[in-house]
């Protein structure tokens, strides 16, 4: 069984699991002509079957997200910016080349709030 890590800051031994819809991120160029899209949370959403993903950069998230104790508390309080800054500080310490990643992290965590489907479940 793979070791679980926090999906927000990569810390080992996450304590909570947040149920989420699986989703992917891609660019407008993946939209086929006449693809039906819905707008929610400032994003355009389309069904995977309506996309042409071979040409576009994609990021995929499957199922639930795990969170360590510290991230869980920030999520629980809705502290998205604090969560972003915390993960950013940790990632940048590991690899200083990641100093451009702040916006990407913030964007990913905002998306997380869109795809959450229910309350967190403790990981045994
Ligand atoms: Zn964490």
């Amino acid at each position: 069984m793979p070791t679980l890590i926090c999906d927000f800051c990569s810390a080992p031994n996450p304590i909570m699991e947040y149920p989420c819809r699986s989703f992917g991120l891609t660019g407008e160029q993946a939209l086929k002509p006449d693809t039906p899209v819905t707008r929610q949370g400032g994003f355009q959403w389309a069904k995977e079957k309506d996309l042409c993903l071979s040409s576009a950069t994609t990021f995929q998230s499957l199922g639930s997200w795990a969170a360590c104790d510290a991230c869980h508390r920030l999520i629980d309080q809705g502290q998205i910016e604090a969560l972003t800054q915390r993960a950013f500080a940790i990632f940048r310490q590991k690899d200083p080349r990641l100093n451009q990643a702040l916006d990407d992290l913030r964007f990913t965590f905002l998306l997380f709030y869109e795809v959450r489907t229910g309350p967190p479940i403790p990981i045994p």
Side-chain angles (χ1 to χ4, degrees):
M1 190 180 151
T3 314
L4 272 180
I5 58 166
C6 174
D7 283 315
F8 298 88
C9 73
S10 298
N13 306 315
I15 60 152
M16 287 287 184
E17 186 183 329
Y18 283 80
C20 291
R21 298 196 305 273
S22 296
F23 72 100
L25 275 180
T26 188
E28 298 232 350
Q29 67 270 32
L31 292 174
K32 292 177 190 165
D34 306 320
T35 297
V37 292
T38 54
R39 290 186 172 276
Q40 192 188 328
F43 301 105
Q44 293 189 88
W45 300 86
K47 297 263 186 268
E48 189 176 0
K49 67 175 173 54
D50 293 327
L51 297 174
C52 171
L53 294 175
S54 52
S55 60
T57 321
T58 53
F59 161 81
Q60 275 203 313
S61 169
L62 299 176
S64 55
W65 290 36
C68 68
D69 187 38
C71 290
H72 161 64
R73 266 181 276 151
L74 292 172
I75 296 163
D76 206 40
Q77 297 161 10
Q79 302 276 350
I80 303 177
E81 186 56 26
L83 185 67
T84 305
Q85 296 291 345
R86 176 188 144 73
F88 181 59
I90 291 168
F91 291 142
R92 199 169 46 170
Q93 228 169 32
K94 288 182 189 162
D95 186 346
R97 287 171 303 173
L98 293 176
N99 62 5
Q100 304 295 323
L102 183 62
D103 288 343
D104 288 347
L105 275 176
R106 188 181 289 122
F107 180 68
T108 310
F109 294 170
L110 283 167
L111 260 177
F112 162 76
Y113 277 83
E114 282 298 318
V115 299
R116 274 184 65 178
T117 56
I121 302 160
I123 295 172

